[in-house]
Amino acid sequence: MNTTDTNPALNPAGTTDMTADSTSGNAGGATAPPRLEVTALSKTYGSGANAKCVIEDLTFTVNTGEVVCIVGPSGVGKTTLLKCLAGLQPATSGTAAIDGRTIAGPPPEMALVFQDYSRSLMPWLTVRKNVRLPLRHLHLPTQEMNQRIDTALEAVGLAHAANQYPWQLSGGMQQRVAIARALAYRPEILIMDEPFASVDAQTRFELEDLCLKIREDFGMTILVVTHDIDEAVYLSDRVVVLGSKPARVLDVIGIDLPAPRDQISTRSLPEFAEQRTTVLSMIRKPA
Amino acid sequence: MNRKLINWGLGIGTPLLLVAAWWAVSQNSTNTFFPPLATILERFQALWLFDHFGSDVLLSLRNLALGYALATVIGVGLGFVTALVPVVRWALDPLIHFFRGIPPVALVPIFISLIGFGIEMRLVSIILAALFPTLIATVDGIRSVDPSLKDVSAVYRLTRTEKLAQVYLPAAGPQIAAGMQVSLQVAFIVMIASEMLGASQGIGAMTLLAQQSFMTSDMWAGILLLGVIGFGANMLFELAKNKVLAWYVGSRRLAKS
Ligand SMILES: Nc1ncnc2c1ncn2[C@@H]1O[C@H](COP(=O)(O)OP(=O)(O)OP(=O)(O)O)[C@@H](O)[C@H]1O
Ligand SMILES: [Mg+2]
């Protein structure tokens, strides 16, 4: 099924028998259970005649410290999936679990950058206060809190806009505020829903590298939904390809590119083009 | 810049012009119902600034301020509870829908006939009548808080207090303020009406008494004072609103331009 796989540990689509044992010895290390585990997850909106099955029998895992990208056609149910993972929507059947614990409400170790970034910022708070809002109840020392905010705003290139209101900023800047808010929160698991959709190409490259850097610095586990296949290949350790409808996993493709990735050299590798073609043909293939 | 100056000029100039016109036209008036403005102003000064300031003006203002403040606090508080606690919502929803259809001023006679006219009762009728616009606006405002913001609050695990004070209250702020402005007008009307309909003290009572004893200048002076108070109260409200909701005013202005 998964012919191009170079990593033997990758579990192909639909294999529900993937246990901690079967992953042992892979790149992820010894016997660590998957950080994030989605098992036979289904989600149906509404009930009775209006019932709409958006996700059916979805299974995949994300290991600690991995970057995994989810690609799939528009409207397939990617946002719905993330809402189930974040504990915002209950699964109709199946489970999503962190370290083996089933997710029932928003998990403390997780942050989510919403697709609808402009509506996810508080218009009555300045950029700085928006970033600070989730930190207040963490009871950090003031100095550390301020330092986290400054670092996060600098990382997304918005230090100069700290005292402006979100509605005074462009769409791309608002999106970066939402990312800064998640970064300052320092989650162990960071989930982002098309986070770089409305920024310019240059900023996009910078944010992609930022994403890889925070994985290195903080050992974050990162799950990203994206429409951009190049981006998925560049960022990921693995790419989960979703097909419609209802959403199910078409394939999980291991991306075997050398470690410190670099926008120019990595993207010009022949392997990069190969992996890209693999993902693309999986998406184009009639389901 | 020029445009703004012209607008300001019109805003200040027009009322001044009208007052001047009133002054000129009424100057030699012998009509007992329309005494000269000069006479009215004289009576205004004599009546309100000295004789009855302590006994009547302060009393009316105190009733208005206290009644309105309590109505606002109770209205916003009850609005939060109604919008967020399902049991209360089921219990109060029909009542709120009923009152939503009635212009608040139409409630005045009900309260006055139900409650009577003692000083405490006047206060109670102000509170009850002014309560509803704020209550209804608060419930509406909280129910229409963007679900995305609720999701964000949940994901970042804001505490209950943070959700209420940092998310729901500001998000519903513009609607609550609109309700509070209506409440202010209602409180003012009920204050006057409750005094006119039976009290012997207060600006409303004095004004009605003047009318009944054919002291038209005194009546006009009373009406003038009420106008000034109403205008002043509304202006203070606008100032406070524009300060507290500066983010909203700013974002609206930006969205329009
Ligand atoms: N709260 C809801 N109630 C009912 N149906 C919903 C709800 N949310 C989403 N849907 C439906 O579920 C389907 C998947 O939506 P979702 O937003 O998850 O797609 P998506 O993959 O994120 O799309 P996009 O790539 O455009 O963001 C859509 O058909 C949508 O209409
Ligand atoms: Mg989506």
Side-chain angles (χ1 to χ4, degrees):
Chain A
M1 182 173 185
N2 195 355
T3 50
T4 55
D5 229 349
T6 48
N7 185 339
L10 295 164
N11 62 321
T15 24
T16 48
D17 61 350
M18 208 198 75
T19 58
D21 278 342
S22 69
T23 59
S24 62
N26 72 9
T31 51
R35 192 78 224 256
L36 203 60
E37 186 169 30
V38 178
T39 316
L41 185 88
S42 300
K43 175 69 189 174
T44 303
Y45 280 119
S47 58
N50 303 327
K52 184 173 182 197
C53 180
V54 178
I55 298 176
E56 191 163 37
D57 196 24
L58 207 67
T59 300
F60 69 93
T61 59
V62 182
N63 295 318
T64 305
E66 252 189 332
V67 176
V68 171
C69 281
I70 298 177
V71 296
S74 184
V76 72
K78 302 181 296 293
T79 299
T80 303
L81 168 65
L82 296 193
K83 284 194 173 167
C84 292
L85 292 182
L88 295 172
Q89 288 280 353
T92 311
S93 70
T95 55
I98 292 182
D99 299 332
R101 285 175 292 113
T102 301
I103 297 169
E109 56 270 82
M110 184 188 283
L112 176 61
V113 175
F114 292 82
Q115 179 174 17
D116 209 348
Y117 52 87
S118 65
R119 282 168 62 209
S120 84
L121 298 172
M122 317 283 162
W124 51 88
L125 296 179
T126 60
V127 166
R128 190 181 178 81
K129 286 182 177 162
N130 262 289
V131 176
R132 192 176 66 164
L133 184 61
L135 306 183
R136 292 161 59 105
H137 63 272
L138 300 182
H139 302 297
L140 304 168
T142 317
Q143 204 194 340
E144 189 192 341
M145 183 160 82
N146 285 331
Q147 194 230 322
R148 275 199 197 186
I149 299 170
D150 293 334
T151 315
L153 284 176
E154 243 156 63
V156 299
L158 282 183
H160 65 280
N163 294 320
Q164 285 185 286
Y165 286 92
W167 39 268
Q168 295 174 308
L169 308 178
S170 71
M173 290 167 89
Q174 291 177 22
Q175 201 164 23
R176 284 184 277 152
V177 176
I179 295 171
R181 178 171 62 187
L183 293 183
Y185 192 63
R186 303 256 167 101
E188 291 167 28
I189 302 171
L190 176 61
I191 299 186
M192 299 196 274
D193 198 350
E194 298 185 29
F196 313 137
S198 59
V199 299
D200 59 276
Q202 173 62 29
T203 311
R204 190 179 186 117
F205 286 162
E206 284 167 12
L207 290 177
E208 285 168 8
D209 286 334
L210 176 66
C211 191
L212 294 174
K213 182 175 177 300
I214 55 171
R215 187 259 298 264
E216 289 309 314
D217 291 354
F218 302 107
M220 259 183 219
T221 305
I222 300 175
L223 183 63
V224 183
V225 164
T226 176
H227 273 142
D228 185 334
I229 292 162
D230 284 48
E231 178 170 280
V233 173
Y234 179 74
L235 284 178
S236 302
D237 297 310
R238 291 186 294 150
V239 176
V240 176
V241 183
L242 294 186
S244 57
K245 289 184 169 181
R248 61 215 155 71
V249 178
L250 289 183
D251 204 351
V252 180
I253 298 165
I255 304 296
D256 199 16
L257 295 171
R261 294 188 185 172
D262 174 84
Q263 291 289 1
I264 294 172
S265 61
T266 303
R267 281 177 195 263
S268 52
L269 289 174
E271 295 95 307
F272 186 88
E274 266 168 44
Q275 300 275 17
R276 191 182 174 283
T277 312
T278 312
V279 177
L280 192 59
S281 55
M282 185 52 65
I283 287 174
R284 299 294 298 268
K285 194 169 73 182
Chain B
M1 193 64 222
N2 238 343
R3 180 87 236 154
K4 209 169 163 182
L5 243 120
I6 294 173
N7 287 347
W8 267 95
L10 278 175
I12 298 171
T14 314
L16 282 181
L17 211 69
L18 285 174
V19 170
W22 184 5
W23 183 283
V25 171
S26 67
Q27 202 165 23
N28 299 315
S29 168
T30 48
N31 184 332
T32 46
F33 194 72
F34 293 111
L37 181 55
T39 320
I40 296 176
L41 288 178
E42 255 167 47
R43 293 303 298 153
F44 183 92
Q45 195 182 16
L47 272 180
W48 302 128
L49 298 188
F50 304 106
D51 278 9
H52 296 274
F53 186 76
S55 58
D56 296 280
V57 179
L58 276 187
L59 180 81
S60 297
L61 287 180
R62 197 209 62 177
N63 273 354
L64 177 64
L66 199 62
Y68 178 59
L70 285 172
T72 304
V73 171
I74 299 172
V76 172
L78 209 58
F80 263 81
V81 175
T82 309
L84 298 174
V85 183
V87 186
V88 182
R89 182 160 82 208
W90 297 127
L92 290 189
D93 236 11
L95 202 68
I96 287 177
H97 278 299
F98 177 71
F99 279 114
R100 190 199 300 272
I102 305 175
V105 182
L107 300 176
V108 174
I110 307 180
F111 290 125
I112 289 173
S113 53
L114 276 182
I115 294 170
F117 312 107
I119 290 211
E120 296 76 25
M121 288 301 126
R122 274 189 259 163
L123 196 60
V124 172
S125 65
I126 292 177
I127 294 172
L128 280 180
L131 185 71
F132 280 95
T134 301
L135 170 64
I136 291 171
T138 307
V139 174
D140 288 346
I142 291 176
R143 286 198 196 154
S144 56
V145 172
D146 195 324
S148 315
L149 294 182
K150 295 185 195 169
D151 281 350
V152 170
S153 316
V155 162
Y156 288 109
R157 299 165 63 90
L158 301 189
T159 62
R160 184 194 299 264
T161 326
E162 280 176 327
K163 274 185 204 167
L164 292 181
Q166 312 272 342
V167 181
Y168 285 101
L169 185 61
Q175 279 200 59
I176 295 178
M180 282 172 63
Q181 195 151 18
V182 177
S183 282
L184 180 61
Q185 289 153 8
V186 173
F188 186 57
I189 293 168
V190 175
M191 176 202 81
I192 301 168
S194 67
E195 287 173 354
M196 283 188 169
L197 289 170
S200 54
Q201 274 186 311
I203 308 168
M206 294 298 294
T207 306
L208 197 73
L209 190 70
Q211 187 260 326
Q212 284 162 350
S213 20
F214 304 103
M215 298 157 71
T216 20
S217 300
D218 289 18
M219 178 195 80
W220 280 106
I223 293 171
L224 202 62
L225 177 65
L226 291 173
V228 169
I229 293 176
F231 179 77
N234 204 45
M235 203 159 78
L236 279 181
F237 185 91
E238 283 284 339
L239 279 178
K241 185 180 85 175
N242 286 341
K243 196 153 176 64
V244 175
L245 293 179
W247 64 271
Y248 181 70
V249 179
S251 66
R252 284 288 294 268
R253 195 183 304 134
L254 204 72
K256 271 187 212 148
S257 65

